[in-house]
């Protein structure tokens, strides 16, 4: 059965990378989709992300910090996919109050308008592995202590726990996905604000060398279509309510190996290994990869797209559309 047919779904951050990919999938499933996004230029929102579905979705250019807009927007919605966020770790150190406003305070006010005006809504929140900080052990499961290394991690942690609290105390069905590095078509490639992989991809497509900082760190990556399936599963399954789930990927890889794989997928590409700049090193989490058995066993999630395939699809997209992402 298709749980989304004629259902109303609101996506905050819907013009961003993951939000726009989720929107496309929901449109295919027959949902009535509304996207809310502030289009602040430093973030990942981009109208081109929805160029092919723009006539099938409603777009509302608003800021999730604006309680009046959110009060209007959540009413009558069946699902809220809550993805709006400030994603840059460095920006969160340089502008900590902005990160606090978006990633923590606005999350609380979104939940408050849901409590007052639409307590029947089901919410899936986009959380992050950043909240674990430097892992005490690997792979990192959901029981791992939360000790973030940057302001962004602390605010996302608060944002996540407001959702779980409102589920537990007020019965507003909510759950959170702790995403690891997510990549694919429509990711921000202008700079490294979303992920270092974005700038690598842009530079290899442009035929320029890119920089790998360190190189030995281990990471996992989720292809965006796999992440979107996790959002859909979490939205429709009651067992998810009040839960947090790690998302991982098909493989664990060092950054140097990833750089080599990207070059191979592109049919050429060069990089230089650099030492970490000190301001980045201070907030780096080192090796990370997720134990994502909980979402696999409880919700039946699978990661289908491996890195080789995912990088090939991503490069193909940017070879065709790079001018919209510079
Ligand atoms: N991409 C990843 O690797 C990754 C990893 C962990 C967590 N996440 C989380 O997933 C979510 C989506 O990330 P993404 O990768 O699609 O990034 P993105 O920057 O492409 O999307 C976030 C969207 O939120 C919008 N936004 C930011 N502040 C807003 C505000 N105040 N009001 C309205 N809209 C606002 C931006 O314009 C952007 O379109 C974020 O919450 C992020 O923290 C992403």
């Amino acid at each position: 059965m298709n749980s989304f047919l004629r259902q109303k779904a609101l996506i905050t951050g819907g013009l961003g990378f993951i939000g726009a990919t989720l929107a496309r999938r929901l449109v295919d499933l027959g949902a009535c989709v509304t996207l809310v996004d502030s289009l602040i230029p430093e973030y990942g929102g981009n109208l081109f992300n929805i160029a092919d579905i723009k006539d099938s979705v409603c777009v509302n250019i608003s800021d999730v910090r604006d309680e009046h807009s959110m009060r209007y927007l959540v009413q009558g919605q069946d699902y809220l996919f809550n993805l709006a966020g400030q994603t840059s770790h460095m920006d969160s150190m340089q502008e900590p109050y902005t990160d606090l406003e978006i990633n923590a305070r606005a999350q609380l006010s979104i939940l408050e308008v849901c409590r007052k005006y639409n307590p029947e809504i089901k919410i899936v929140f986009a959380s992050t592995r950043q909240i674990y900080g430097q892992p005490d052990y690997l792979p990192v499961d959901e029981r791992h202590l939360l000790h973030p290394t940057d302001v962004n991690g602390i605010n996302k942690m608060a944002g996540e726990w407001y959702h779980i609290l409102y589920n537990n105390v007020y019965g507003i069905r909510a759950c959170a996905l702790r995403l690891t590095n997510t990549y694919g078509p429509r990711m921000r490639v202008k700079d490294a604000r979303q992920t270092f992989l974005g700038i690598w991809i842009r530079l290899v497509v442009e035929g320029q060398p890119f920089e790998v900082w360190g190189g030995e760190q281990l990471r996992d990556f989720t292809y965006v279509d796999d992440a979107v399936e996790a959002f859909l599963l979490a939205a429709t399954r009651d067992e998810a309510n009040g839960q947090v789930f790690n998302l991982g990927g098909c493989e664990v890889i060092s950054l140097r190996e990833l750089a080599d794989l990207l070059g191979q997928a592109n049919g050429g590409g060069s990089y230089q290994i650099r030492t970490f700049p000190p301001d980045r090193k201070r907030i780096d989490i080192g090796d990370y990869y997720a134990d994502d058995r909980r979402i696999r066993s409880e919700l039946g999630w699978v990661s289908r797209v491996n890195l080789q395939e995912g990088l090939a699809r991503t490069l193909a997209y940017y070879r065709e559309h790079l001018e919209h992402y510079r």
Side-chain angles (χ1 to χ4, degrees):
M1 194 190 77
N2 175 0
S3 312
F4 295 101
L5 189 62
R6 286 188 284 280
Q7 295 292 293
K8 296 181 87 177
L10 178 68
I11 307 177
T12 69
L15 295 176
F17 160 46
I18 303 172
T21 312
L22 175 62
R24 184 167 291 93
R25 184 84 171 90
L26 284 167
V27 165
D28 285 347
L29 291 169
C32 310
V33 181
T34 301
L35 311 179
V36 49
D37 203 292
S38 57
L39 279 183
I40 296 168
E42 288 76 23
Y43 304 162
N46 184 338
L47 278 169
F48 187 75
N49 282 345
I50 58 153
D52 54 337
I53 53 163
K54 67 178 189 319
D55 298 330
S56 311
V57 294
C58 296
V59 178
N60 192 302
I61 305 300
S62 297
D63 197 300
V64 292
R65 287 170 285 187
D66 177 355
E67 288 177 36
H68 303 294
S69 299
M70 291 310 295
R71 171 177 167 173
Y72 163 76
L73 286 163
V74 301
Q75 291 183 40
Q77 299 291 339
D78 298 299
Y79 295 100
L80 168 59
F81 294 97
N82 193 8
L83 280 76
Q86 192 299 107
T87 63
S88 162
H89 304 301
M90 281 309 291
D91 287 5
S92 83
M93 302 307 289
Q94 279 142 16
E95 290 186 46
Y97 301 118
T98 305
D99 195 90
L100 177 72
E101 287 291 317
I102 298 173
N103 288 331
R105 191 187 191 287
Q107 304 310 316
L108 185 57
S109 78
I110 290 170
L111 287 158
E112 271 294 281
V113 294
C114 289
R115 183 173 73 81
K116 289 179 189 155
Y117 302 103
N118 187 357
E120 299 302 315
I121 200 166
K122 168 73 191 261
I123 311 173
V124 187
F125 175 68
S127 185
T128 171
R129 61 107 208 270
Q130 196 67 14
I131 68 178
Y132 293 117
Q134 272 185 7
D136 298 324
Y137 57 85
L138 291 165
V140 174
D141 59 16
E142 291 86 351
R143 290 175 182 274
H144 188 288
L145 278 179
L146 305 180
H147 43 55
T149 54
D150 57 27
V151 167
N152 179 262
I154 292 176
N155 294 331
K156 289 291 285 191
M157 180 172 74
E160 177 193 283
W161 277 92
Y162 289 138
H163 285 77
I164 304 305
L165 181 85
Y166 272 59
N167 178 90
N168 296 346
V169 175
Y170 299 118
I172 294 165
R173 295 166 302 150
C175 62
L177 302 180
R178 293 178 177 166
L179 308 183
T180 188
N181 282 100
T182 308
Y183 73 103
R186 301 177 183 82
M187 67 196 289
R188 184 177 173 98
V189 297
K190 195 179 273 189
D191 50 38
R193 279 199 164 88
Q194 203 170 65
T195 155
F196 61 87
L197 184 55
I199 189 84
W200 290 11
I201 286 170
R202 195 189 96 205
L203 290 170
V204 293
V205 169
E206 290 174 342
Q208 296 186 57
F210 60 94
E211 289 184 359
V212 177
W213 295 344
E216 302 312 316
Q217 309 95 303
L218 298 175
R219 290 293 159 86
D220 53 1
F221 293 83
T222 314
Y223 187 67
V224 64
D225 290 359
D226 287 337
V228 161
E229 290 310 310
F231 276 94
L232 300 181
L233 279 171
T236 52
R237 300 283 290 277
D238 286 340
E239 313 90 282
N241 300 344
Q243 300 293 321
V244 297
F245 297 97
N246 284 346
L247 281 194
C250 295
E251 59 260 87
V252 177
I253 190 169
S254 75
L255 296 195
R256 187 197 293 264
E257 289 166 336
L258 179 69
D260 289 335
L261 199 61
L262 182 64
Q264 282 163 27
N266 190 51
S270 63
Y271 63 89
Q272 292 142 1
I273 299 278
R274 288 276 159 83
T275 53
F276 253 92
D279 54 347
R280 304 265 173 170
K281 185 71 195 162
R282 280 201 292 270
I283 61 170
D284 183 50
I285 61 166
D287 293 340
Y288 174 91
Y289 49 94
D291 177 340
D292 59 11
R293 284 177 295 180
R294 179 185 283 179
I295 191 165
R296 290 176 190 269
S297 65
E298 291 185 20
L299 303 186
W301 180 73
V302 277
S303 53
R304 296 179 197 280
V305 182
N306 66 23
L307 267 170
Q308 200 173 1
E309 173 64 23
L311 289 174
R313 290 189 202 176
T314 309
L315 288 165
Y317 182 82
Y318 286 104
R319 271 187 217 111
E320 200 175 340
H321 299 298
L322 189 60
E323 77 267 26
H324 299 285
Y325 291 89
R326 283 186 216 266

